[in-house]
Amino acid sequence: AELGYRANAAARALARNRSDLIGVVLPGFGNLFLAALVEALRAAGDEHDYVPLLATIAEDAEREVNAIERFLELRVAGLVLVS
């Protein structure tokens, strides 16, 4: 019988001291290059079982610092900063 088990990603991240997330900090989605970059990151993540997590900062330094700090709290496996 199926028990409906679902792995707890937060518990796994805590045990491994990292998650399967890649933090991506973007100024916004104002051009096609950024959309193509996000798609390429998603495709690369799929190949290696990582999930990109996006933060847009509207070119605001305080928002950028906050996004980076939040990603570090989430124990992202990597961080991509796009300017």
Side-chain angles (χ1 to χ4, degrees):
E2 184 164 326
L3 300 176
Y5 172 78
R6 220 172 207 186
N8 185 323
R12 184 174 53 240
L14 185 61
R16 294 186 320 179
N17 201 30
R18 71 173 180 86
S19 67
D20 295 331
L21 300 172
I22 301 293
V24 183
V25 179
L26 301 163
F29 292 106
N31 66 50
L32 292 176
F33 170 77
L34 293 178
L37 176 65
V38 168
E39 179 55 27
L41 289 169
R42 187 217 41 86
D46 284 352
E47 291 180 22
H48 301 282
D49 296 323
Y50 288 101
V51 176
L53 185 60
L54 308 177
T56 58
I57 59 166
E59 300 184 26
D60 180 310
E62 184 176 342
R63 289 180 73 184
E64 182 175 17
V65 169
N66 290 340
I68 293 168
E69 288 176 353
R70 182 70 175 130
F71 284 150
L72 294 176
E73 290 171 5
L74 292 169
R75 300 171 188 244
V76 294
L79 189 58
V80 178
L81 303 175
V82 180
S83 60

Coordinates of all heavy atoms in Angstrom, one line a residue:
A1 N 0.8 -1.2 0.0 CA 0.0 0.0 0.0 C 0.9 1.2 0.0 O 1.9 1.3 0.7 CB -0.9 0.0 1.2
E2 N 0.4 2.3 -0.7 CA 1.2 3.5 -0.8 C 0.9 4.3 0.5 O -0.2 4.5 0.9 CB 0.8 4.3 -2.0 CG 1.6 5.5 -2.1 CD 1.5 6.1 -3.5 OE1 1.4 5.4 -4.5 OE2 1.6 7.4 -3.6
L3 N 2.0 4.8 1.1 CA 1.9 5.6 2.3 C 1.9 7.1 2.1 O 1.7 7.8 3.0 CB 3.1 5.2 3.3 CG 3.1 3.7 3.7 CD1 4.4 3.5 4.5 CD2 1.9 3.3 4.4
G4 N 2.2 7.5 0.9 CA 2.2 8.9 0.6 C 3.4 9.6 1.2 O 3.4 10.8 1.5
Y5 N 4.5 8.9 1.4 CA 5.7 9.5 1.9 C 6.3 10.5 1.0 O 6.3 10.4 -0.2 CB 6.8 8.4 2.2 CG 8.1 9.0 2.5 CD1 8.4 9.4 3.8 CD2 9.1 9.1 1.6 CE1 9.6 10.0 4.2 CE2 10.4 9.6 1.9 CZ 10.6 10.1 3.2 OH 11.8 10.6 3.6
R6 N 6.7 11.6 1.6 CA 7.4 12.7 0.9 C 8.6 13.1 1.6 O 8.5 13.4 2.8 CB 6.4 13.9 0.8 CG 6.5 14.5 -0.5 CD 5.4 15.6 -0.6 NE 5.2 15.6 -2.1 CZ 4.4 16.4 -2.7 NH1 3.7 17.3 -2.0 NH2 4.3 16.3 -4.0
A7 N 9.7 13.1 1.0 CA 11.0 13.5 1.6 C 10.9 14.9 2.1 O 10.3 15.8 1.4 CB 12.2 13.4 0.7
N8 N 11.5 15.2 3.3 CA 11.5 16.5 3.8 C 12.8 17.2 3.4 O 13.9 17.0 3.9 CB 11.4 16.5 5.4 CG 11.3 17.8 6.0 OD1 11.9 18.8 5.6 ND2 10.5 17.9 7.1
A9 N 12.7 18.2 2.4 CA 13.8 18.8 1.9 C 14.5 19.7 2.9 O 15.7 19.8 2.9 CB 13.4 19.7 0.7
A10 N 13.8 20.3 3.9 CA 14.4 21.1 4.9 C 15.2 20.2 5.8 O 16.3 20.6 6.2 CB 13.3 21.8 5.7
A11 N 14.7 19.1 6.2 CA 15.5 18.2 7.1 C 16.8 17.7 6.3 O 17.8 17.6 6.9 CB 14.6 17.0 7.5
R12 N 16.6 17.4 5.1 CA 17.8 16.9 4.3 C 18.8 18.0 4.2 O 20.0 17.8 4.3 CB 17.3 16.5 2.9 CG 18.4 15.9 2.1 CD 17.9 15.3 0.7 NE 17.1 16.2 0.0 CZ 15.9 16.0 -0.4 NH1 15.3 14.9 -0.1 NH2 15.2 16.9 -1.1
A13 N 18.4 19.2 4.0 CA 19.3 20.4 3.9 C 20.0 20.6 5.2 O 21.2 20.9 5.2 CB 18.5 21.6 3.5
L14 N 19.3 20.4 6.3 CA 19.9 20.6 7.6 C 21.0 19.5 7.9 O 22.1 19.8 8.3 CB 18.8 20.5 8.7 CG 19.3 20.8 10.1 CD1 19.9 22.2 10.2 CD2 18.1 20.7 11.1
A15 N 20.7 18.3 7.5 CA 21.6 17.2 7.7 C 22.8 17.3 6.8 O 24.0 17.0 7.3 CB 20.9 15.9 7.4
R16 N 22.7 17.8 5.6 CA 23.8 17.9 4.7 C 24.5 19.3 4.7 O 25.5 19.5 4.1 CB 23.3 17.7 3.2 CG 22.8 16.3 3.0 CD 22.5 16.0 1.6 NE 21.8 17.1 0.9 CZ 21.5 17.2 -0.3 NH1 21.7 16.1 -1.1 NH2 20.8 18.2 -0.8
N17 N 23.9 20.2 5.5 CA 24.3 21.6 5.6 C 24.3 22.4 4.2 O 25.0 23.3 4.0 CB 25.7 21.7 6.2 CG 26.0 23.1 6.8 OD1 25.1 23.7 7.2 ND2 27.3 23.5 6.7
R18 N 23.4 21.9 3.3 CA 23.2 22.6 2.1 C 21.9 22.0 1.5 O 21.5 20.9 1.8 CB 24.3 22.5 1.1 CG 24.5 21.1 0.5 CD 25.5 21.1 -0.7 NE 25.6 19.8 -1.2 CZ 24.9 19.3 -2.2 NH1 23.9 20.0 -2.7 NH2 25.1 18.1 -2.6
S19 N 21.3 22.8 0.6 CA 20.0 22.4 0.0 C 20.3 22.0 -1.5 O 21.4 22.1 -1.9 CB 19.0 23.5 0.1 OG 19.4 24.6 -0.7
D20 N 19.2 21.7 -2.2 CA 19.3 21.5 -3.6 C 18.9 22.7 -4.4 O 18.5 22.6 -5.5 CB 18.4 20.3 -4.0 CG 18.9 19.0 -3.4 OD1 20.1 18.8 -3.2 OD2 18.0 18.1 -3.1
L21 N 19.0 23.9 -3.7 CA 18.6 25.1 -4.3 C 19.8 25.9 -4.8 O 20.9 25.9 -4.1 CB 17.9 26.0 -3.3 CG 16.6 25.4 -2.7 CD1 16.1 26.3 -1.6 CD2 15.5 25.3 -3.8
I22 N 19.7 26.6 -5.9 CA 20.7 27.5 -6.4 C 20.0 28.9 -6.3 O 19.0 29.1 -7.0 CB 21.1 27.2 -7.8 CG1 21.7 25.8 -7.9 CG2 22.1 28.3 -8.3 CD1 23.0 25.6 -7.2
G23 N 20.5 29.8 -5.5 CA 20.0 31.1 -5.4 C 20.5 32.0 -6.6 O 21.6 32.0 -7.0
V24 N 19.5 32.7 -7.2 CA 19.8 33.5 -8.4 C 19.3 34.9 -8.1 O 18.1 35.1 -7.9 CB 19.2 33.0 -9.7 CG1 19.6 33.8 -10.9 CG2 19.5 31.5 -9.9
V25 N 20.2 35.9 -8.0 CA 19.8 37.3 -7.8 C 19.9 38.1 -9.1 O 20.9 38.1 -9.7 CB 20.8 37.9 -6.7 CG1 20.4 39.4 -6.5 CG2 20.7 37.1 -5.4
L26 N 18.7 38.6 -9.5 CA 18.6 39.3 -10.8 C 18.2 40.7 -10.6 O 17.4 41.0 -9.6 CB 17.6 38.6 -11.6 CG 17.7 37.1 -12.0 CD1 16.4 36.6 -12.5 CD2 18.8 37.0 -13.0
P27 N 18.6 41.6 -11.4 CA 18.1 43.0 -11.3 C 16.6 43.1 -11.7 O 15.9 44.0 -11.3 CB 19.0 43.8 -12.3 CG 19.5 42.8 -13.3 CD 19.6 41.5 -12.5
G28 N 16.1 42.2 -12.5 CA 14.7 42.1 -13.0 C 14.6 41.2 -14.2 O 15.6 40.5 -14.5
F29 N 13.5 41.3 -14.9 CA 13.3 40.5 -16.1 C 13.2 41.3 -17.3 O 12.4 41.0 -18.2 CB 12.1 39.5 -15.9 CG 12.3 38.5 -14.9 CD1 11.7 38.6 -13.7 CD2 13.1 37.4 -15.1 CE1 11.8 37.6 -12.7 CE2 13.3 36.4 -14.2 CZ 12.7 36.5 -13.0
G30 N 13.8 42.5 -17.3 CA 13.6 43.5 -18.3 C 14.1 43.2 -19.7 O 13.9 43.9 -20.6
N31 N 14.9 42.1 -19.9 CA 15.4 41.8 -21.2 C 15.5 40.3 -21.5 O 15.4 39.5 -20.6 CB 16.8 42.5 -21.4 CG 17.9 41.9 -20.6 OD1 18.1 40.7 -20.5 ND2 18.6 42.8 -19.9
L32 N 15.6 40.0 -22.8 CA 15.6 38.6 -23.2 C 16.8 37.9 -22.7 O 16.7 36.6 -22.5 CB 15.5 38.6 -24.7 CG 14.1 39.0 -25.3 CD1 14.2 39.0 -26.8 CD2 13.0 38.2 -24.8
F33 N 17.9 38.5 -22.6 CA 19.1 37.8 -22.1 C 18.8 37.2 -20.7 O 19.2 36.0 -20.5 CB 20.3 38.8 -22.0 CG 21.5 38.1 -21.3 CD1 22.3 37.2 -21.9 CD2 21.8 38.5 -20.0 CE1 23.3 36.6 -21.2 CE2 22.8 37.9 -19.3 CZ 23.6 37.0 -19.9
L34 N 18.2 38.0 -19.8 CA 18.0 37.4 -18.5 C 17.0 36.3 -18.5 O 17.1 35.3 -17.8 CB 17.4 38.6 -17.6 CG 18.5 39.6 -17.2 CD1 17.8 40.7 -16.4 CD2 19.7 39.1 -16.6
A35 N 16.0 36.4 -19.4 CA 15.0 35.2 -19.5 C 15.8 34.0 -20.0 O 15.5 32.9 -19.5 CB 13.9 35.6 -20.4
A36 N 16.7 34.2 -21.0 CA 17.4 33.0 -21.5 C 18.4 32.5 -20.5 O 18.5 31.3 -20.4 CB 18.2 33.5 -22.8
L37 N 19.0 33.4 -19.6 CA 19.8 32.9 -18.6 C 19.1 32.1 -17.6 O 19.6 31.0 -17.1 CB 20.5 34.1 -17.9 CG 21.4 33.8 -16.7 CD1 22.6 33.0 -17.1 CD2 21.8 35.1 -16.0
V38 N 17.9 32.5 -17.1 CA 17.1 31.8 -16.2 C 16.7 30.4 -16.7 O 16.8 29.4 -16.0 CB 15.9 32.6 -15.8 CG1 14.9 31.7 -15.0 CG2 16.3 33.8 -15.0
E39 N 16.4 30.4 -18.0 CA 16.0 29.1 -18.6 C 17.2 28.2 -18.7 O 17.1 27.0 -18.4 CB 15.5 29.3 -20.0 CG 15.1 28.1 -20.8 CD 14.1 27.1 -20.0 OE1 13.3 27.6 -19.2 OE2 14.2 25.9 -20.3
A40 N 18.4 28.7 -19.0 CA 19.6 27.9 -19.0 C 20.0 27.4 -17.6 O 20.4 26.2 -17.5 CB 20.8 28.7 -19.6
L41 N 19.8 28.2 -16.6 CA 20.0 27.8 -15.2 C 19.0 26.7 -14.8 O 19.4 25.7 -14.1 CB 19.9 28.9 -14.2 CG 21.1 29.9 -14.3 CD1 20.7 31.2 -13.5 CD2 22.4 29.3 -13.8
R42 N 17.8 26.8 -15.2 CA 16.8 25.8 -14.9 C 17.2 24.5 -15.6 O 17.1 23.4 -15.0 CB 15.4 26.2 -15.4 CG 14.3 25.3 -14.9 CD 13.2 25.1 -15.9 NE 13.6 25.0 -17.3 CZ 13.9 23.8 -17.9 NH1 14.0 22.7 -17.3 NH2 14.2 23.9 -19.2
A43 N 17.6 24.5 -16.9 CA 17.9 23.3 -17.6 C 19.1 22.7 -17.0 O 19.2 21.4 -16.8 CB 18.2 23.7 -19.1
A44 N 20.2 23.4 -16.6 CA 21.4 22.9 -16.0 C 21.0 22.3 -14.6 O 21.5 21.2 -14.2 CB 22.4 23.9 -15.8
G45 N 20.1 23.0 -13.9 CA 19.7 22.5 -12.6 C 19.0 21.1 -12.7 O 19.2 20.2 -11.9
D46 N 18.1 21.0 -13.7 CA 17.4 19.7 -14.0 C 18.4 18.6 -14.2 O 18.1 17.5 -13.7 CB 16.5 19.9 -15.2 CG 15.2 20.7 -15.0 OD1 15.0 21.0 -13.8 OD2 14.5 20.9 -15.9
E47 N 19.5 18.8 -14.9 CA 20.4 17.8 -15.1 C 21.1 17.3 -13.9 O 21.6 16.2 -13.8 CB 21.5 18.3 -16.1 CG 21.0 18.5 -17.5 CD 22.1 19.0 -18.5 OE1 23.2 18.8 -18.2 OE2 21.7 19.6 -19.5
H48 N 21.2 18.2 -12.8 CA 22.0 17.8 -11.6 C 21.1 17.9 -10.4 O 21.6 17.9 -9.3 CB 23.1 18.8 -11.5 CG 24.1 18.7 -12.7 ND1 25.0 17.7 -12.8 CD2 24.2 19.6 -13.7 CE1 25.7 18.0 -14.0 NE2 25.2 19.0 -14.5
D49 N 19.8 17.8 -10.6 CA 18.8 17.8 -9.4 C 18.9 19.0 -8.5 O 18.8 18.9 -7.3 CB 19.0 16.5 -8.6 CG 18.6 15.3 -9.4 OD1 17.7 15.4 -10.2 OD2 19.3 14.3 -9.2
Y50 N 19.1 20.2 -9.1 CA 19.1 21.5 -8.4 C 17.9 22.3 -8.9 O 17.5 22.2 -10.1 CB 20.4 22.3 -8.6 CG 21.5 21.7 -7.9 CD1 22.5 20.9 -8.6 CD2 21.7 21.9 -6.5 CE1 23.6 20.4 -7.9 CE2 22.8 21.4 -5.9 CZ 23.7 20.6 -6.5 OH 24.8 20.1 -5.9
V51 N 17.4 23.1 -8.1 CA 16.3 24.0 -8.4 C 16.7 25.5 -8.2 O 17.1 25.8 -7.1 CB 15.0 23.7 -7.5 CG1 13.9 24.7 -7.8 CG2 14.6 22.3 -7.6
P52 N 16.6 26.3 -9.3 CA 16.9 27.7 -9.1 C 15.8 28.4 -8.3 O 14.6 28.2 -8.5 CB 17.0 28.2 -10.5 CG 16.2 27.3 -11.4 CD 16.2 25.9 -10.7
L53 N 16.2 29.2 -7.4 CA 15.3 30.0 -6.6 C 15.7 31.5 -6.9 O 16.8 31.9 -6.7 CB 15.5 29.8 -5.1 CG 14.6 30.4 -4.2 CD1 13.1 30.0 -4.4 CD2 15.0 30.0 -2.7
L54 N 14.7 32.2 -7.5 CA 15.0 33.6 -8.0 C 14.6 34.7 -7.0 O 13.6 34.6 -6.3 CB 14.2 33.8 -9.3 CG 14.3 32.7 -10.4 CD1 13.5 33.1 -11.6 CD2 15.8 32.6 -10.8
A55 N 15.4 35.7 -7.1 CA 15.1 37.0 -6.3 C 15.4 38.1 -7.3 O 16.5 38.2 -7.8 CB 15.9 37.1 -5.1
T56 N 14.4 39.0 -7.4 CA 14.7 40.2 -8.2 C 14.9 41.4 -7.3 O 14.2 41.5 -6.3 CB 13.5 40.5 -9.2 OG1 12.3 40.6 -8.5 CG2 13.4 39.4 -10.2
I57 N 15.8 42.2 -7.6 CA 16.2 43.3 -6.6 C 16.0 44.7 -7.2 O 16.2 45.7 -6.4 CB 17.7 43.1 -6.2 CG1 18.6 43.2 -7.5 CG2 17.9 41.8 -5.5 CD1 20.0 43.4 -7.1
A58 N 15.5 44.8 -8.4 CA 15.3 46.2 -9.0 C 16.5 47.1 -8.8 O 16.3 48.3 -8.6 CB 14.0 46.8 -8.4
E59 N 17.7 46.5 -8.9 CA 18.9 47.3 -8.8 C 19.0 48.1 -7.5 O 19.5 49.2 -7.5 CB 19.1 48.1 -10.0 CG 19.2 47.3 -11.3 CD 19.5 48.1 -12.5 OE1 20.1 49.2 -12.4 OE2 19.2 47.6 -13.6
D60 N 18.5 47.5 -6.4 CA 18.5 48.1 -5.1 C 19.5 47.4 -4.2 O 19.3 46.2 -4.0 CB 17.1 48.1 -4.5 CG 17.0 48.7 -3.1 OD1 17.8 48.3 -2.2 OD2 16.1 49.5 -2.9
A61 N 20.6 48.1 -3.7 CA 21.6 47.4 -3.0 C 21.1 46.8 -1.7 O 21.6 45.6 -1.4 CB 22.7 48.4 -2.7
E62 N 20.2 47.4 -1.0 CA 19.7 46.8 0.2 C 18.9 45.5 -0.1 O 19.0 44.5 0.7 CB 18.8 47.8 0.9 CG 18.3 47.3 2.3 CD 17.5 48.4 3.0 OE1 17.6 49.6 2.7 OE2 16.8 48.0 4.0
R63 N 18.1 45.5 -1.1 CA 17.3 44.3 -1.5 C 18.3 43.2 -1.9 O 18.1 42.0 -1.6 CB 16.4 44.6 -2.6 CG 15.2 45.5 -2.2 CD 14.2 45.8 -3.3 NE 13.5 44.6 -3.6 CZ 12.6 44.5 -4.5 NH1 12.4 45.5 -5.3 NH2 12.0 43.3 -4.8
E64 N 19.4 43.6 -2.5 CA 20.4 42.6 -3.0 C 21.0 41.9 -1.7 O 21.1 40.7 -1.6 CB 21.5 43.2 -3.8 CG 22.5 42.2 -4.3 CD 23.5 42.8 -5.2 OE1 23.6 44.1 -5.3 OE2 24.2 42.1 -5.9
V65 N 21.4 42.7 -0.8 CA 22.0 42.2 0.5 C 21.0 41.3 1.2 O 21.3 40.2 1.6 CB 22.5 43.3 1.4 CG1 22.8 42.8 2.8 CG2 23.7 44.0 0.8
N66 N 19.8 41.7 1.3 CA 18.7 40.9 1.9 C 18.5 39.6 1.2 O 18.3 38.6 1.8 CB 17.4 41.7 2.0 CG 17.5 42.9 3.0 OD1 18.3 42.9 3.9 ND2 16.6 43.8 2.8
A67 N 18.5 39.6 -0.1 CA 18.3 38.4 -0.9 C 19.4 37.4 -0.7 O 19.2 36.2 -0.4 CB 18.1 38.7 -2.4
I68 N 20.6 37.9 -0.7 CA 21.8 37.1 -0.4 C 21.8 36.5 1.0 O 22.0 35.3 1.1 CB 23.1 37.9 -0.7 CG1 23.2 38.2 -2.2 CG2 24.3 37.1 -0.2 CD1 24.3 39.2 -2.5
E69 N 21.5 37.3 1.9 CA 21.4 36.8 3.3 C 20.3 35.7 3.4 O 20.5 34.7 4.1 CB 21.1 37.9 4.3 CG 22.3 38.8 4.5 CD 22.0 40.0 5.4 OE1 20.8 40.3 5.8 OE2 23.0 40.7 5.7
R70 N 19.2 35.9 2.8 CA 18.1 34.9 2.9 C 18.5 33.6 2.2 O 18.2 32.6 2.7 CB 16.8 35.5 2.2 CG 15.6 34.6 2.2 CD 15.1 34.5 3.7 NE 13.9 33.7 3.6 CZ 13.7 32.7 4.4 NH1 14.5 32.3 5.3 NH2 12.6 32.0 4.3
F71 N 19.1 33.7 1.0 CA 19.6 32.5 0.4 C 20.6 31.8 1.2 O 20.6 30.5 1.3 CB 20.3 32.9 -1.0 CG 19.3 33.2 -2.1 CD1 19.6 34.1 -3.1 CD2 18.0 32.6 -2.1 CE1 18.7 34.4 -4.1 CE2 17.1 32.9 -3.1 CZ 17.5 33.8 -4.1
L72 N 21.5 32.5 1.9 CA 22.4 31.8 2.8 C 21.7 31.1 4.0 O 22.1 30.0 4.4 CB 23.5 32.8 3.3 CG 24.4 33.4 2.2 CD1 25.4 34.4 2.8 CD2 25.2 32.3 1.5
E73 N 20.7 31.8 4.5 CA 19.9 31.1 5.5 C 19.2 29.9 5.0 O 19.1 28.9 5.8 CB 18.8 32.1 6.0 CG 19.3 33.3 6.8 CD 18.2 34.3 7.1 OE1 17.0 34.1 6.7 OE2 18.5 35.4 7.6
L74 N 18.9 29.8 3.8 CA 18.2 28.6 3.2 C 19.3 27.6 2.8 O 18.9 26.5 2.3 CB 17.4 29.0 1.9 CG 16.2 29.9 2.2 CD1 15.6 30.4 0.9 CD2 15.1 29.0 2.9
R75 N 20.5 27.9 3.0 CA 21.6 27.0 2.8 C 21.7 26.6 1.3 O 21.8 25.4 1.0 CB 21.6 25.7 3.7 CG 21.6 26.1 5.1 CD 21.3 24.9 6.0 NE 21.2 25.3 7.4 CZ 22.0 24.9 8.3 NH1 23.0 24.1 8.0 NH2 21.8 25.3 9.5
V76 N 21.6 27.5 0.4 CA 21.6 27.2 -1.0 C 23.0 26.6 -1.3 O 24.0 26.8 -0.7 CB 21.5 28.5 -1.9 CG1 20.1 29.1 -1.7 CG2 22.5 29.5 -1.6
A77 N 23.0 25.7 -2.3 CA 24.2 25.0 -2.8 C 25.1 25.9 -3.6 O 26.3 25.7 -3.7 CB 23.8 23.8 -3.6
G78 N 24.5 27.0 -4.2 CA 25.3 27.9 -5.0 C 24.5 29.2 -5.1 O 23.3 29.3 -4.8
L79 N 25.2 30.2 -5.5 CA 24.6 31.5 -5.6 C 25.1 32.2 -6.9 O 26.3 32.2 -7.2 CB 25.0 32.4 -4.4 CG 24.4 33.7 -4.2 CD1 22.9 33.6 -4.1 CD2 24.9 34.4 -2.9
V80 N 24.2 32.6 -7.8 CA 24.5 33.3 -9.0 C 24.0 34.8 -8.9 O 22.8 35.0 -8.6 CB 23.8 32.7 -10.2 CG1 24.1 33.4 -11.5 CG2 24.2 31.2 -10.3
L81 N 24.9 35.7 -9.0 CA 24.6 37.1 -9.0 C 24.7 37.7 -10.4 O 25.8 37.6 -11.0 CB 25.6 37.9 -8.0 CG 25.7 37.3 -6.6 CD1 26.8 38.1 -5.8 CD2 24.4 37.5 -5.9
V82 N 23.6 38.3 -10.8 CA 23.6 38.9 -12.2 C 23.4 40.4 -12.0 O 22.5 40.8 -11.3 CB 22.4 38.2 -13.0 CG1 22.4 38.8 -14.4 CG2 22.5 36.7 -13.0
S83 N 24.2 41.1 -12.7 CA 24.1 42.6 -12.6 C 23.9 43.2 -14.0 O 24.0 42.5 -15.0 CB 25.2 43.2 -11.9 OG 26.4 43.0 -12.6

